[in-house]
Each structure stands twice: as C-alpha cells, then as structure tokens.
C-alpha cells in the first residue's frame, strides 16, 4: 500500500479544496463552519476518552460520526455540485438527541436557576463541548445567510448543544458533584 503524504503544499497560499476540488480561501465562511464542527468533534473525542464505557460514551462517538457527515455536507458547495447522499444527515438523529435529552431530564433534579459550567472533569468538559457546539452553530447559521444549509444540520446542531448541557448535568449528578449556581457577587 502506497502512503499518501500528509502535506500537499496546495494550501500554502491561503486556499483549500472543497468537495469536488473547488478551491476557496481558508477564510471562507464555509471553511470556518466545517472547521469549527471538526473542532467540536475533536473535543468530543477528548470527552469520550475520559468517560466510562456505556450508552453515554456510545452516543458521543455516534455524534462524532454524525459530525463527520455534517462536515462533508458543509464542505460541498451546492451551487457547484450536488451533495452526495452519504453526506446527508439522517433526520432521525435529531430525534435520538431529543429522546436522550428527555430521558436525562426525567432522571436528574430539575433546573431552577442558571448553572455555572464545571463540576466533575467529564461534566466540565461536556460544558466546553457545548460552548464549541454553540460557536459551530453560529458559524453554520452565518454560512446559511449566503449559502443554504440543510435544515436537519441546523436543527441537529441546536439539539446537540442542548444535549451536551443536560449530559454535563447528568455526569455531575452521577458523580455526586453539586452544581454551582449563578449568584450575583456581593
């Protein structure tokens, strides 16, 4: 098997390729959108490395796979070519997140005030992932202003940040870590 070089030198002048070989500036809003989704996936990988094996970790890994699909979709300029069927996010994935959010909320104490990010190591990092997810969502909505993004992707990213919030709460609850609530300093 021949090894491909990691470096191509084609980006040295500030451009990169989209799906289909179309070159754009690295500052393009499309690159910013899928690059931030990739950053989220890397952060989720770190979160998963600290989690115990089980359903929660499995859903994080499933989410990483979905985010790869999202990146591929975002890396396709629909004005130049069709999105490959394998780059389309299954709308059922939104329902999976919603069901998990509902299940978690049914099994942890109700939220009565604003919560400060933190707690156990895993919960604190789930909050970091949530904030990166929110940034990715903003970048995708910005891209959507000039180049339409599939509704499933917009919905999925919004649900994912909600899921990461309740996952952080669940992880603290399981570990017996009391959440710090927001209070205005005196």
């Amino acid at each position: 098997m021949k090894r491909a070089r990691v470096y191509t030198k084609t980006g040295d002048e500030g451009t990169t390729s989209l799906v289909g070989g179309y070159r754009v500036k690295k500052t393009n809003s499309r690159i910013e959108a899928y690059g931030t989704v990739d950053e989220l996936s890397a952060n989720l990988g770190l979160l998963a490395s600290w989690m115990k094996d089980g359903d929660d970790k499995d859903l994080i890994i499933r989410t990483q796979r979905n985010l790869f699909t999202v990146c591929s979709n975002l890396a396709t300029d629909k004005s130049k070519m069709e999105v490959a069927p394998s780059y389309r996010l299954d709308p059922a994935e939104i329902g999976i997140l919603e069901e998990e959010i509902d299940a978690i909320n049914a099994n942890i104490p109700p939220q009565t005030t604003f919560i400060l990010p933190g707690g156990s190591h895993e919960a604190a990092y789930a909050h970091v992932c949530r904030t990166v997810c929110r940034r990715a969502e903003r970048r995708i909505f910005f891209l959507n202003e000039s180049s339409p993004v599939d509704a499933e992707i917009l919905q999925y990213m919004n649900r994912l940040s909600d899921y990461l919030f309740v996952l952080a709460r669940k992880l603290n609850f399981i570990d017996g870590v009391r959440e710090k609530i927001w209070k205005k300093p005196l």
Side-chain angles (χ1 to χ4, degrees), residues 6-169:
V6 172
Y7 59 90
T8 63
K9 300 183 184 181
T10 59
D12 292 352
E13 300 298 319
T15 64
T16 191
S17 290
L18 297 175
V19 171
Y22 304 101
R23 300 215 50 95
V24 296
K25 291 183 177 183
K26 289 185 177 185
T27 56
N28 184 291
S29 61
R30 183 174 302 285
I31 306 305
E32 186 65 28
Y34 77 71
T36 308
V37 173
D38 186 37
E39 180 185 349
L40 171 59
S41 182
N43 276 283
L44 289 171
L46 184 57
L47 173 60
S49 74
W50 290 321
M51 296 174 75
K52 296 178 180 90
D53 288 340
D55 292 341
D56 292 326
K57 184 174 181 174
D58 290 345
L59 186 51
I60 293 296
I61 293 167
R62 180 186 190 107
T63 299
Q64 286 184 287
R65 291 185 176 112
N66 284 331
L67 292 178
F68 197 92
T69 301
V70 168
C71 284
S72 299
N73 185 299
L74 296 174
T76 306
D77 185 341
K78 295 178 202 164
S79 70
K80 299 194 183 322
M81 66 182 297
E82 293 235 358
V83 175
S86 61
Y87 297 170
R88 297 226 179 253
L89 186 66
D90 183 347
E93 295 298 327
I94 299 162
I96 289 169
L97 289 179
E98 290 172 345
E99 288 173 15
E100 189 59 23
I101 291 166
D102 293 343
I104 290 171
N105 272 333
N107 290 297
I108 59 175
Q111 180 183 347
T112 59
T113 186
F114 289 110
I115 298 168
L116 299 178
S120 72
H121 199 83
E122 293 89 351
Y125 212 76
H127 279 294
V128 170
C129 291
R130 174 186 55 80
T131 63
V132 175
C133 185
R134 286 285 190 211
R135 180 161 36 92
E137 182 184 11
R138 291 190 302 271
R139 299 292 187 235
I140 294 167
F141 269 98
F142 183 74
L143 172 63
N144 189 55
E145 291 177 4
S146 61
S147 182
V149 174
D150 293 355
E152 292 82 13
I153 290 174
L154 300 171
Q155 293 167 11
Y156 183 80
M157 296 304 292
N158 187 266
R159 294 312 177 285
L160 180 55
S161 61
D162 294 337
Y163 164 70
L164 292 167
F165 177 76
V166 297
L167 175 64
R169 294 198 65 224

